[in-house]
Each structure stands twice: as structure tokens, then as C-alpha cells.
mmCIF file of all heavy atoms in Angstrom:
data_model
loop_
_atom_site.group_PDB
_atom_site.id
_atom_site.type_symbol
_atom_site.label_atom_id
_atom_site.label_comp_id
_atom_site.label_asym_id
_atom_site.label_seq_id
_atom_site.Cartn_x
_atom_site.Cartn_y
_atom_site.Cartn_z
ATOM 1 N N VAL A 171 163.992 243.358 293.107
ATOM 2 C CA VAL A 171 164.763 244.455 293.705
ATOM 3 C C VAL A 171 163.947 245.751 293.683
ATOM 4 O O VAL A 171 163.883 246.489 294.679
ATOM 5 C CB VAL A 171 166.101 244.625 292.983
ATOM 6 C CG1 VAL A 171 166.812 245.889 293.454
ATOM 7 C CG2 VAL A 171 166.999 243.408 293.219
ATOM 8 N N VAL A 172 163.327 246.055 292.559
ATOM 9 C CA VAL A 172 162.522 247.275 292.465
ATOM 10 C C VAL A 172 161.341 247.213 293.420
ATOM 11 O O VAL A 172 160.998 248.215 294.080
ATOM 12 C CB VAL A 172 162.050 247.479 291.010
ATOM 13 C CG1 VAL A 172 160.998 248.585 290.931
ATOM 14 C CG2 VAL A 172 163.233 247.826 290.117
ATOM 15 N N ALA A 173 160.717 246.062 293.537
ATOM 16 C CA ALA A 173 159.590 245.933 294.463
ATOM 17 C C ALA A 173 160.034 246.209 295.899
ATOM 18 O O ALA A 173 159.341 246.910 296.660
ATOM 19 C CB ALA A 173 158.984 244.540 294.339
ATOM 20 N N VAL A 174 161.195 245.685 296.296
ATOM 21 C CA VAL A 174 161.689 245.918 297.658
ATOM 22 C C VAL A 174 162.035 247.390 297.861
ATOM 23 O O VAL A 174 161.727 247.979 298.913
ATOM 24 C CB VAL A 174 162.916 245.023 297.936
ATOM 25 C CG1 VAL A 174 163.578 245.397 299.248
ATOM 26 C CG2 VAL A 174 162.501 243.562 297.959
ATOM 27 N N LEU A 175 162.671 248.030 296.859
ATOM 28 C CA LEU A 175 163.027 249.443 297.001
ATOM 29 C C LEU A 175 161.793 250.319 297.123
ATOM 30 O O LEU A 175 161.765 251.280 297.912
ATOM 31 C CB LEU A 175 163.868 249.876 295.794
ATOM 32 C CG LEU A 175 165.265 249.248 295.679
ATOM 33 C CD1 LEU A 175 165.961 249.727 294.408
ATOM 34 C CD2 LEU A 175 166.114 249.579 296.895
ATOM 35 N N LEU A 176 160.745 250.017 296.362
ATOM 36 C CA LEU A 176 159.508 250.785 296.475
ATOM 37 C C LEU A 176 158.832 250.537 297.824
ATOM 38 O O LEU A 176 158.293 251.465 298.438
ATOM 39 C CB LEU A 176 158.560 250.404 295.335
ATOM 40 C CG LEU A 176 158.999 250.804 293.921
ATOM 41 C CD1 LEU A 176 158.006 250.286 292.897
ATOM 42 C CD2 LEU A 176 159.126 252.320 293.806
ATOM 43 N N TRP A 177 158.871 249.308 298.287
ATOM 44 C CA TRP A 177 158.216 248.981 299.553
ATOM 45 C C TRP A 177 158.942 249.604 300.740
ATOM 46 O O TRP A 177 158.327 250.075 301.691
ATOM 47 C CB TRP A 177 158.144 247.465 299.692
ATOM 48 C CG TRP A 177 157.592 247.008 301.012
ATOM 49 C CD1 TRP A 177 156.357 247.265 301.524
ATOM 50 C CD2 TRP A 177 158.286 246.215 301.976
ATOM 51 N NE1 TRP A 177 156.211 246.685 302.764
ATOM 52 C CE2 TRP A 177 157.388 246.022 303.073
ATOM 53 C CE3 TRP A 177 159.545 245.641 302.035
ATOM 54 C CZ2 TRP A 177 157.749 245.286 304.188
ATOM 55 C CZ3 TRP A 177 159.892 244.900 303.148
ATOM 56 C CH2 TRP A 177 159.006 244.734 304.207
ATOM 57 N N ARG A 178 160.287 249.653 300.673
ATOM 58 C CA ARG A 178 161.062 250.223 301.769
ATOM 59 C C ARG A 178 161.123 251.743 301.706
ATOM 60 O O ARG A 178 161.540 252.393 302.665
ATOM 61 C CB ARG A 178 162.492 249.663 301.762
ATOM 62 C CG ARG A 178 162.569 248.167 301.979
ATOM 63 C CD ARG A 178 161.958 247.771 303.295
ATOM 64 N NE ARG A 178 162.640 248.423 304.420
ATOM 65 C CZ ARG A 178 162.235 248.381 305.677
ATOM 66 N NH1 ARG A 178 161.106 247.763 305.978
ATOM 67 N NH2 ARG A 178 162.913 248.979 306.631
ATOM 68 N N GLY A 179 160.751 252.346 300.587
ATOM 69 C CA GLY A 179 160.691 253.801 300.510
ATOM 70 C C GLY A 179 162.034 254.479 300.370
ATOM 71 O O GLY A 179 162.294 255.489 301.037
ATOM 72 N N ILE A 180 162.919 253.951 299.543
ATOM 73 C CA ILE A 180 164.217 254.572 299.310
ATOM 74 C C ILE A 180 164.016 255.864 298.529
ATOM 75 O O ILE A 180 163.305 255.899 297.524
ATOM 76 C CB ILE A 180 165.148 253.614 298.544
ATOM 77 C CG1 ILE A 180 165.229 252.270 299.273
ATOM 78 C CG2 ILE A 180 166.529 254.212 298.387
ATOM 79 C CD1 ILE A 180 165.752 252.348 300.676
ATOM 80 N N SER A 181 164.633 256.957 298.972
ATOM 81 C CA SER A 181 164.438 258.256 298.335
ATOM 82 C C SER A 181 165.148 258.319 296.994
ATOM 83 O O SER A 181 166.062 257.523 296.705
ATOM 84 C CB SER A 181 164.967 259.369 299.241
ATOM 85 O OG SER A 181 166.379 259.263 299.387
ATOM 86 N N ALA A 182 164.736 259.288 296.184
ATOM 87 C CA ALA A 182 165.345 259.458 294.866
ATOM 88 C C ALA A 182 166.815 259.849 294.985
ATOM 89 O O ALA A 182 167.654 259.408 294.193
ATOM 90 C CB ALA A 182 164.574 260.512 294.071
ATOM 91 N N ARG A 183 167.151 260.664 295.970
ATOM 92 C CA ARG A 183 168.548 261.062 296.158
ATOM 93 C C ARG A 183 169.424 259.845 296.461
ATOM 94 O O ARG A 183 170.519 259.693 295.926
ATOM 95 C CB ARG A 183 168.659 262.094 297.271
ATOM 96 C CG ARG A 183 170.077 262.632 297.481
ATOM 97 C CD ARG A 183 170.097 263.574 298.670
ATOM 98 N NE ARG A 183 169.201 264.699 298.448
ATOM 99 C CZ ARG A 183 169.545 265.804 297.782
ATOM 100 N NH1 ARG A 183 170.766 265.928 297.304
ATOM 101 N NH2 ARG A 183 168.677 266.779 297.638
ATOM 102 N N ALA A 184 168.935 258.956 297.334
ATOM 103 C CA ALA A 184 169.713 257.755 297.663
ATOM 104 C C ALA A 184 169.878 256.859 296.442
ATOM 105 O O ALA A 184 170.949 256.266 296.235
ATOM 106 C CB ALA A 184 169.029 256.997 298.800
ATOM 107 N N LEU A 185 168.839 256.756 295.627
ATOM 108 C CA LEU A 185 168.945 255.930 294.424
ATOM 109 C C LEU A 185 169.971 256.502 293.444
ATOM 110 O O LEU A 185 170.789 255.766 292.876
ATOM 111 C CB LEU A 185 167.579 255.830 293.745
ATOM 112 C CG LEU A 185 166.488 255.083 294.522
ATOM 113 C CD1 LEU A 185 165.148 255.236 293.824
ATOM 114 C CD2 LEU A 185 166.836 253.617 294.682
ATOM 115 N N ILE A 186 169.957 257.824 293.254
ATOM 116 C CA ILE A 186 170.883 258.449 292.302
ATOM 117 C C ILE A 186 172.318 258.356 292.815
ATOM 118 O O ILE A 186 173.251 258.080 292.052
ATOM 119 C CB ILE A 186 170.467 259.901 292.048
ATOM 120 C CG1 ILE A 186 169.103 259.938 291.358
ATOM 121 C CG2 ILE A 186 171.505 260.628 291.210
ATOM 122 C CD1 ILE A 186 168.517 261.316 291.212
ATOM 123 N N VAL A 187 172.517 258.588 294.099
ATOM 124 C CA VAL A 187 173.871 258.479 294.663
ATOM 125 C C VAL A 187 174.391 257.050 294.542
ATOM 126 O O VAL A 187 175.564 256.816 294.198
ATOM 127 C CB VAL A 187 173.875 258.955 296.125
ATOM 128 C CG1 VAL A 187 175.204 258.637 296.793
ATOM 129 C CG2 VAL A 187 173.595 260.451 296.200
ATOM 130 N N SER A 188 173.544 256.075 294.810
ATOM 131 C CA SER A 188 173.962 254.679 294.683
ATOM 132 C C SER A 188 174.350 254.357 293.245
ATOM 133 O O SER A 188 175.359 253.677 292.998
ATOM 134 C CB SER A 188 172.837 253.754 295.149
ATOM 135 O OG SER A 188 172.486 254.007 296.494
ATOM 136 N N ALA A 189 173.557 254.846 292.278
ATOM 137 C CA ALA A 189 173.905 254.611 290.875
ATOM 138 C C ALA A 189 175.222 255.274 290.517
ATOM 139 O O ALA A 189 176.041 254.700 289.784
ATOM 140 C CB ALA A 189 172.781 255.140 289.972
ATOM 141 N N GLY A 190 175.460 256.480 291.038
ATOM 142 C CA GLY A 190 176.728 257.150 290.755
ATOM 143 C C GLY A 190 177.926 256.390 291.313
ATOM 144 O O GLY A 190 178.978 256.304 290.679
ATOM 145 N N VAL A 191 177.772 255.818 292.512
ATOM 146 C CA VAL A 191 178.864 255.030 293.095
ATOM 147 C C VAL A 191 179.147 253.797 292.241
ATOM 148 O O VAL A 191 180.306 253.436 291.990
ATOM 149 C CB VAL A 191 178.516 254.639 294.539
ATOM 150 C CG1 VAL A 191 179.528 253.640 295.086
ATOM 151 C CG2 VAL A 191 178.459 255.875 295.420
ATOM 152 N N LEU A 192 178.095 253.149 291.778
ATOM 153 C CA LEU A 192 178.305 251.965 290.939
ATOM 154 C C LEU A 192 179.023 252.322 289.645
ATOM 155 O O LEU A 192 179.952 251.605 289.213
ATOM 156 C CB LEU A 192 176.959 251.314 290.632
ATOM 157 C CG LEU A 192 176.221 250.659 291.802
ATOM 158 C CD1 LEU A 192 174.890 250.096 291.346
ATOM 159 C CD2 LEU A 192 177.066 249.579 292.445
ATOM 160 N N LEU A 193 178.626 253.421 288.999
ATOM 161 C CA LEU A 193 179.215 253.786 287.713
ATOM 162 C C LEU A 193 180.610 254.372 287.857
ATOM 163 O O LEU A 193 181.493 254.099 287.026
ATOM 164 C CB LEU A 193 178.308 254.788 286.992
ATOM 165 C CG LEU A 193 176.964 254.244 286.496
ATOM 166 C CD1 LEU A 193 176.127 255.374 285.905
ATOM 167 C CD2 LEU A 193 177.162 253.150 285.468
ATOM 168 N N ALA A 194 180.826 255.190 288.875
ATOM 169 C CA ALA A 194 182.108 255.901 288.998
ATOM 170 C C ALA A 194 183.156 255.126 289.779
ATOM 171 O O ALA A 194 184.351 255.402 289.638
ATOM 172 C CB ALA A 194 181.884 257.264 289.669
ATOM 173 N N VAL A 195 182.750 254.158 290.599
ATOM 174 C CA VAL A 195 183.708 253.450 291.448
ATOM 175 C C VAL A 195 183.742 251.958 291.127
ATOM 176 O O VAL A 195 184.792 251.392 290.817
ATOM 177 C CB VAL A 195 183.381 253.672 292.943
ATOM 178 C CG1 VAL A 195 184.375 252.906 293.818
ATOM 179 C CG2 VAL A 195 183.411 255.160 293.278
ATOM 180 N N VAL A 196 182.588 251.300 291.208
ATOM 181 C CA VAL A 196 182.565 249.841 291.110
ATOM 182 C C VAL A 196 182.940 249.366 289.711
ATOM 183 O O VAL A 196 183.766 248.456 289.548
ATOM 184 C CB VAL A 196 181.187 249.303 291.526
ATOM 185 C CG1 VAL A 196 181.138 247.787 291.392
ATOM 186 C CG2 VAL A 196 180.865 249.716 292.959
ATOM 187 N N VAL A 197 182.337 249.964 288.672
ATOM 188 C CA VAL A 197 182.632 249.513 287.306
ATOM 189 C C VAL A 197 184.108 249.676 286.955
ATOM 190 O O VAL A 197 184.748 248.726 286.465
ATOM 191 C CB VAL A 197 181.727 250.256 286.297
ATOM 192 C CG1 VAL A 197 182.159 249.964 284.869
ATOM 193 C CG2 VAL A 197 180.280 249.844 286.501
ATOM 194 N N PRO A 198 184.743 250.849 287.192
ATOM 195 C CA PRO A 198 186.186 250.939 286.901
ATOM 196 C C PRO A 198 187.019 249.943 287.713
ATOM 197 O O PRO A 198 187.995 249.389 287.198
ATOM 198 C CB PRO A 198 186.532 252.381 287.252
ATOM 199 C CG PRO A 198 185.250 253.132 287.130
ATOM 200 C CD PRO A 198 184.206 252.173 287.586
ATOM 201 N N LEU A 199 186.640 249.710 288.984
ATOM 202 C CA LEU A 199 187.402 248.758 289.786
ATOM 203 C C LEU A 199 187.317 247.343 289.216
ATOM 204 O O LEU A 199 188.305 246.596 289.232
ATOM 205 C CB LEU A 199 186.890 248.772 291.226
ATOM 206 C CG LEU A 199 187.401 249.901 292.127
ATOM 207 C CD1 LEU A 199 186.778 249.792 293.511
ATOM 208 C CD2 LEU A 199 188.923 249.864 292.215
ATOM 209 N N LEU A 200 186.156 246.971 288.704
ATOM 210 C CA LEU A 200 186.025 245.638 288.112
ATOM 211 C C LEU A 200 186.924 245.483 286.897
ATOM 212 O O LEU A 200 187.520 244.413 286.676
ATOM 213 C CB LEU A 200 184.564 245.381 287.740
ATOM 214 C CG LEU A 200 183.594 245.187 288.908
ATOM 215 C CD1 LEU A 200 182.175 245.031 288.411
ATOM 216 C CD2 LEU A 200 183.994 243.970 289.733
ATOM 217 N N TYR A 201 187.047 246.535 286.086
ATOM 218 C CA TYR A 201 187.937 246.466 284.926
ATOM 219 C C TYR A 201 189.406 246.400 285.348
ATOM 220 O O TYR A 201 190.211 245.741 284.686
ATOM 221 C CB TYR A 201 187.712 247.676 284.016
ATOM 222 C CG TYR A 201 186.574 247.498 283.048
ATOM 223 C CD1 TYR A 201 185.292 247.938 283.361
ATOM 224 C CD2 TYR A 201 186.781 246.896 281.816
ATOM 225 C CE1 TYR A 201 184.241 247.779 282.481
ATOM 226 C CE2 TYR A 201 185.736 246.733 280.924
ATOM 227 C CZ TYR A 201 184.473 247.166 281.258
ATOM 228 O OH TYR A 201 183.434 247.003 280.392
ATOM 229 N N VAL A 202 189.744 247.094 286.450
ATOM 230 C CA VAL A 202 191.140 247.109 286.889
ATOM 231 C C VAL A 202 191.503 245.814 287.617
ATOM 232 O O VAL A 202 192.570 245.222 287.372
ATOM 233 C CB VAL A 202 191.391 248.335 287.801
ATOM 234 C CG1 VAL A 202 192.780 248.268 288.418
ATOM 235 C CG2 VAL A 202 191.247 249.621 286.992
ATOM 236 N N LEU A 203 190.630 245.353 288.500
ATOM 237 C CA LEU A 203 190.943 244.174 289.299
ATOM 238 C C LEU A 203 190.794 242.879 288.514
ATOM 239 O O LEU A 203 191.480 241.886 288.807
ATOM 240 C CB LEU A 203 190.032 244.127 290.534
ATOM 241 C CG LEU A 203 190.183 245.293 291.512
ATOM 242 C CD1 LEU A 203 189.189 245.157 292.673
ATOM 243 C CD2 LEU A 203 191.611 245.368 292.053
ATOM 244 N N PHE A 204 189.910 242.850 287.530
ATOM 245 C CA PHE A 204 189.689 241.640 286.741
ATOM 246 C C PHE A 204 189.845 241.964 285.254
ATOM 247 O O PHE A 204 188.871 241.969 284.500
ATOM 248 C CB PHE A 204 188.296 241.065 287.021
ATOM 249 C CG PHE A 204 188.049 240.790 288.470
ATOM 250 C CD1 PHE A 204 187.341 241.693 289.246
ATOM 251 C CD2 PHE A 204 188.533 239.631 289.062
ATOM 252 C CE1 PHE A 204 187.108 241.439 290.595
ATOM 253 C CE2 PHE A 204 188.303 239.375 290.402
ATOM 254 C CZ PHE A 204 187.596 240.285 291.177
ATOM 255 N N PRO A 205 191.049 242.279 284.807
ATOM 256 C CA PRO A 205 191.238 242.615 283.391
ATOM 257 C C PRO A 205 191.066 241.381 282.504
ATOM 258 O O PRO A 205 191.325 240.245 282.911
ATOM 259 C CB PRO A 205 192.684 243.133 283.345
ATOM 260 C CG PRO A 205 193.357 242.439 284.479
ATOM 261 C CD PRO A 205 192.316 242.288 285.561
ATOM 262 N N GLY A 206 190.618 241.615 281.288
ATOM 263 C CA GLY A 206 190.489 240.524 280.339
ATOM 264 C C GLY A 206 191.846 240.061 279.846
ATOM 265 O O GLY A 206 192.823 240.820 279.824
#
């Protein structure tokens, strides 16, 4: 994955925004939709 991101030239802003979406949206949704 890192090799592809470096080869495709994804900007630092896009990487940080994507990480924020995963942490602030996807992770909480996984806990809510698939509770233990």
C-alpha cells in the first residue's frame, strides 16, 4: 500500500484527511454497527 501511494504521488494533505476520516468516522461506526 505504501509503495503504491508513493508511486501515485498522494499529497500529505490527502493522507492526513484520509486518516482523520478513518479515525473519526469509520472506527466509531464499526463499534456501533458490530458491537461485541
